[in-house]
């Protein structure tokens, strides 16, 4: 009978005994028949994560039109076309297309680069299959996408778990679940007859995903949701995305593909996609300008109608004024600047920016939240100390611990040593004589996650007919087998507790000398032991982490460590890297706090231990609500909520697939040095955008104020719509130089945040100064052309002054260096001087100016430049972030 999972209760699948589960799955210890496996593959699909398609270039282009400022420019182009201002409409349309094309090309390239990093959770899996019902089972290597529910899978050290499975047998099996839970230590796994049976005392709990998340809750009506969140703590269940640290096992597959816990974790919350720092800054400024642009045309029309009796003939001029206020190059400058920064990062540091605005967000980041495992540490333990029972350093304790590790590995024929044994053997190689571990080995009892110790039996040196049992394992389990007095036991436990509180993983080492037995050794012989001492191991810190943390601190970026590890382990790693952990907060203490309380605690604390995924996300959200721009660096399924909650999500290339898809930035390596490079690049892009906004908006605002004033005072329009368009084209072309400006080093020292109110306050001050220069020019023009009364001469004079003041603003208000801005400003100034005198001048309604105008114009510009320089010096004197 073909298995039909829709007829099986999820509770039955997750809480049955192994035999009941196999029957429910239509399988058995000998595995599936090939024909049945093929039928299930057709019926339930391949065992792959839900496909993530890279959006096509046209789709990315259309998405870029959702930018509010781009939409307004498109509306202005439409209005210009309606009033027959075809040249204006064409120029704006070209700017919109160029901006969207640049953004689409950059983001599409980043999407393709990130897609190139995708890799399967595992490439092959070892399953038991039969040719027919009567045939013997044969182990087969099959592609992981061919694994189906009911398959019996064998696991060996180093294997990646291909699907969610329930263990049937296991020998010394431990799993790395860091990608799922953030727990750096391997987790013991073993079969149990009753799934509800508690884990053995002292087993390190893996932290489940948030049980309050409705997307993760066990749904009685959804047979795909076989496993609930608390199952990460269950020893008999192994999950896709975890890997075998040591030992071996056999299990039956209960969920594949999109039904696995690994895949289900990728379902986003309703409020996951947030408003980022880029949205709050550039978009905030844009919407304020949008309001002004929408108000300007009707105000111009009403004022001219009331004071000058002009009608709809001023509509093209009103539209031109609105366009003049618009920094129409903003989308092009922003996109070009960020695309160049992203391209440079990818080329020089192999950092992929998947979403261009995320580069700006990186520049504004003032808090980086990260996990300890693999970022501050190397995911491998190293020996910290070997102590005798009195707490004194004693290399003989290391000697016997290494003897246990070596001969257990050799005699039990384990494929590879686990990480703790490797650390002990490495330390012994460095600190002990070359022949220190050479013994005649007799037997070995490998590590068992239930009894939590291992034993090696060797010939006792110089004692013919005697054997030495070398036992190593969890402190509590070893002490149970040692006949100690109450005081001796209390001292040993206190020493182990001190080491554990200091962030070490502690193992006890004990010996027993026995006459040679004529029978095989069993676990019953692990008694009457003499405690030799304790070994403490710590996580090896990442080589570049200390320097990178110092660099981030120098740049004004605070680091918060959010980890699922033990508080002492996290604090120790921070201290070794020069990061003061302060008072470590256990994440469970957040449960009784409201959001404001969590924010205050997150602001003043550095390390949060025992964090669940939702607790990480809650801390990140609390920091953002307090005004911080937050980045989150994570690589596992347990990091997805926090990646989505941050302003910019960051991950290393070896992150799990769903984390790479969620992140905005993919680093070259799980190395904070790459993050520092990315932040510097983001600040450079942000500084360029901020400089462009201040220069362009102040110049535009000054011109619009002067234009509106002159339009009400003069009997004719101060500038014709065509002249406004040509002036805007000249200034727009010159503004492209801003995208190639290089910010000064001072701009890269602190987080750069574009605060709309501060930017607009600065723009208003400079704009009023610019308007004063324009109005002074009006007075000069009225005097200089009073004899001719020529409107064309007036238009030419103001056109020239406008481009010259814009050139001065570009040079005096710039915050960067290089990039050709002085040269571009010079070309812009020459254009303003020569265009009215060229053959093109009469075509757009301009005439040559009298010579008396130029000395007076030079005086106005000199006074304007002096005032601008004075104001600039005063405003830049205090250091701003």
């Amino acid at each position: 009978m073909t298995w039909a999972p829709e007829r099986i209760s999820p509770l039955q699948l997750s809480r049955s005994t192994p035999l009941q589960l196999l029957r429910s799955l239509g399988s058995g210890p000998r595995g599936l028949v090939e024909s049945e496996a093929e039928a299930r593959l057709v019926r339930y699909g391949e065992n792959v994560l839900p496909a993530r398609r890279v959006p096509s270039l046209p789709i990315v282009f259309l998405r870029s039109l959702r930018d509010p400022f781009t939409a307004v420019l498109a509306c202005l182009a439409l209005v210009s076309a309606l009033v027959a201002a075809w040249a204006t409409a064409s120029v704006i349309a070209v700017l919109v297309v160029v901006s969207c094309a640049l953004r689409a090309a950059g983001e599409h390239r980043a999407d393709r680069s990130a897609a190139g990093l995708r890799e399967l959770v595992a490439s092959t899996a070892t399953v038991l299959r039969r040719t027919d019902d009567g045939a013997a089972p044969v182990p087969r290597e099959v592609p992981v996408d061919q694994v189906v529910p009911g398959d019996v899978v064998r696991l060996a050290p180093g294997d990646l778990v291909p699907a969610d499975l329930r263990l049937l047998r296991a020998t010394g099996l431990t799993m790395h679940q860091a990608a799922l839970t953030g727990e750096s230590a391997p987790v013991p796994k073993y079969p149990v007859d009753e799934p509800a049976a508690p884990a053995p005392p002292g087993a390190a709990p893996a932290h489940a995903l948030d049980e309050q998340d409705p997307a993760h809750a066990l749904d009685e009506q959804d047979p795909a949701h076989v496993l609930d969140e608390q199952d990460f703590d269950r020893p008999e269940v192994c999950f896709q995305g975890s890997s075998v640290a040591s030992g071996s096992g056999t299990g039956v597959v209960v969920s594949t593909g999109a039904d696995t816990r690994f895949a289900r974790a990728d379902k986003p919350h309703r409020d996951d996609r947030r408003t980022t720092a880029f949205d709050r800054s550039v978009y905030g400024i844009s919407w304020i300008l949008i309001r002004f642009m929408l108000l300007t045309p009707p105000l111009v029309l009403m004022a001219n109608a009331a004071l000058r009796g002009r009608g709809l003939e001023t509509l093209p001029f009103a539209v031109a004024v609105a366009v003049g206020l618009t920094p129409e190059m903003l989308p092009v400058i922003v996109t070009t600047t960020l695309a160049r920064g992203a391209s440079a990062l990818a080329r020089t540091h192999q950092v992929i920016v998947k979403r261009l605005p995320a580069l700006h967000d990186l520049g504004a980041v003032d808090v980086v939240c990260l996990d300890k495992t693999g970022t501050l540490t190397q995911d491998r333990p190293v020996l910290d100390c070997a102590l005798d029972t009195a707490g004194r350093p004693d290399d003989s304790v290391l000697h016997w611990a290494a003897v246990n590790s070596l001969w257990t590995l050799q005699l039990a024929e384990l494929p590879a040593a686990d990480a703790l044994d490797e650390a002990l053997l490495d330390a012994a190689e460095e600190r002990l004589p070359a022949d220190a571990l050479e013994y005649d080995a007799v037997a070995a009892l490998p590590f068992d996650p239930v009894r939590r110790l291992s034993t090696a039996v060797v010939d006792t040196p110089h004692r013919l007919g005697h054997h030495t049992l070398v036992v190593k394992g969890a402190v509590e389990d070893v002490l149970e087998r040692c006949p100690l007095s109450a005081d001796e036991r209390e001292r040993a436990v206190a020493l182990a507790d001190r080491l554990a509180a200091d962030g070490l993983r502690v193992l006890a080492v004990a010996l027993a000398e026995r006459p040679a037995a004529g029978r095989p050794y069993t676990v019953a012989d692990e008694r009457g032991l003499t405690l030799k001492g304790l070994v403490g191991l710590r996580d090896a810190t990442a080589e570049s982490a200390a320097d990178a943390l110092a660099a981030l601190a120098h740049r004004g970026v605070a680091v918060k460590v959010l980890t699922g590890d033990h508080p002492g382990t996290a604090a120790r790693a921070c201290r070794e890297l020069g990061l003061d952990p302060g008072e470590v907060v256990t994440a469970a203490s957040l449960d009784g706090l409201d959001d404001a309380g969590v924010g205050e605690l997150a602001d003043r604390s550095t390390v949060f231990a025992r964090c669940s995924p939702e607790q990480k996300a809650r801390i990140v959200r609390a920091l953002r609500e307090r005004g911080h721009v937050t980045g989150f660096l994570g690589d596992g399924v347990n990091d997805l909520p926090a990646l989505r909650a941050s302003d910019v999500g960051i991950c290393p290339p070896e992150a799990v697939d769903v984390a790479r898809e969620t992140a905005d930035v993919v680093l070259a390596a799980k190395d904070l040095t790459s993050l520092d490079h990315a932040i510097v690049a983001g600040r450079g892009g942000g500084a360029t955008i901020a400089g462009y906004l201040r220069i362009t908006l102040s110049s535009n605002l000054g011109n619009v104020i002067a234009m509106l004033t002159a339009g009400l005072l003069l009997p004719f329009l101060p500038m014709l719509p065509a002249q406004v368009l040509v002036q805007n084209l000249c200034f727009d072309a010159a503004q492209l130089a801003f995208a190639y400006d290089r910010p000064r080093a001072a701009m890269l020292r602190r987080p750069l945040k574009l605060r709309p109110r501060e930017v607009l306050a600065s723009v208003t001050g400079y704009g009023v100064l610019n308007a004063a220069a324009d109005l002074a020019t009006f007075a000069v023009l009225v005097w200089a052309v009073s004899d001719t009364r020529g409107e064309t001469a007036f238009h030419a004079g103001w056109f020239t002054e406008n481009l010259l003041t814009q050139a001065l603003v570009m040079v005096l208000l710039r915050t960067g260096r290089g990039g050709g801005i002085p040269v571009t400003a010079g070309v812009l100034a020459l254009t303003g001087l020569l265009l009215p005198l060229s053959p093109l001048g009469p075509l757009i309604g301009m005439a040559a100016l009298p010579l008396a105008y130029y000395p007076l114009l030079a005086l106005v510009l000199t006074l304007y430049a002096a005032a601008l320089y004075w104001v600039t010096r005063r405003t830049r004197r205090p250091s701003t972030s």
Side-chain angles (χ1 to χ4, degrees), residues 399-487:
H399 166 262
W400 289 114
V403 167
N404 173 281
S405 296
L406 174 64
W407 293 109
T408 301
L409 175 67
Q410 297 287 342
L411 296 183
E413 298 182 352
L414 299 178
D418 69 11
L420 297 180
D421 285 332
E422 286 180 349
L424 292 171
L425 293 173
D426 289 343
E429 184 177 357
E430 294 176 3
R431 296 166 55 171
L432 301 178
D435 59 350
L437 306 184
E438 292 184 3
Y439 283 86
D440 292 327
V442 177
L445 302 175
F447 176 83
D448 185 328
V450 176
R451 81 185 203 283
R452 300 198 303 162
L453 47 81
S454 62
T455 299
V457 183
V458 298
D459 280 340
T460 304
H462 313 299
R463 294 270 292 170
L464 187 63
H466 286 74
H467 292 163
T468 299
L469 279 70
V470 186
V471 180
K472 169 174 61 66
V475 174
E476 298 87 344
D477 295 88
V478 172
L479 292 182
E480 285 179 2
R481 292 161 172 80
C482 297
L484 300 173
S485 67
D487 288 343

Side-chain angles (χ1 to χ4, degrees), residues 369-371 375 616 631-640 642-643 649-652 655-656 659-660 663 665 670:
C369 301
L370 48 84
D371 194 359
T375 305
K616 291 182 181 181
F632 184 86
L633 174 58
D635 64 349
V637 174
N638 62 311
D639 294 321
L640 292 179
L643 284 170
I650 311 160
C651 78
V656 296
R660 285 201 305 270
V665 176
K670 200 168 186 179

Side-chain angles (χ1 to χ4, degrees), residues 695-696 698-700 703 727 730-735 737-738 770 773-774 798-814 820-833 861 864-865 868:
I695 291 171
T696 302
S698 61
S699 179
N700 287 0
N703 287 341
Q727 174 187 286
C730 294
F731 193 28
D732 289 345
Q735 289 169 9
F738 285 108
N770 183 278
D774 286 347
W798 195 25
F799 180 90
T800 298
E801 185 268 349
N802 266 337
L803 291 188
L804 289 176
T805 55
Q806 287 171 342
L808 281 175
V809 167
M810 288 181 63
V811 173
L812 295 178
L813 293 188
R814 65 184 295 228
I821 286 182
V823 174
T824 304
V827 173
L828 182 64
L830 285 175
T831 303
L833 290 169
L861 292 177
Y864 173 62
L868 195 62

Side-chain angles (χ1 to χ4, degrees), residues 77-88:
L78 179 60
V79 172
S80 299
L82 291 177
V83 298
W86 299 110
T88 302

Side-chain angles (χ1 to χ4, degrees), residues 33-114:
V33 176
E34 287 287 356
S35 59
E36 175 63 17
E38 292 173 1
R40 294 187 183 191
L41 183 63
V42 172
R43 183 172 183 181
Y44 303 112
E46 294 184 341
N47 177 36
V48 295
L49 296 177
R52 295 273 189 150
R53 296 180 58 190
V54 176
S56 64
L57 190 58
I59 295 298
V60 179
F61 179 87
L62 292 176
R63 288 179 182 174
S64 64
L65 290 173
R66 295 182 299 184
D67 181 299
F69 204 83
T70 301
V72 169
L73 286 177
C75 292
L76 283 176
L78 179 60
V79 172
S80 299
L82 291 177
V83 298
W86 299 110
T88 302
S90 300
V91 170
I92 295 177
V94 168
L95 292 176
V96 169
V97 171
V98 169
S99 169
C100 292
L102 286 173
R103 177 177 297 184
E107 295 190 0
H108 183 66
R109 189 184 307 113
D111 282 339
R112 293 184 62 184
S113 298

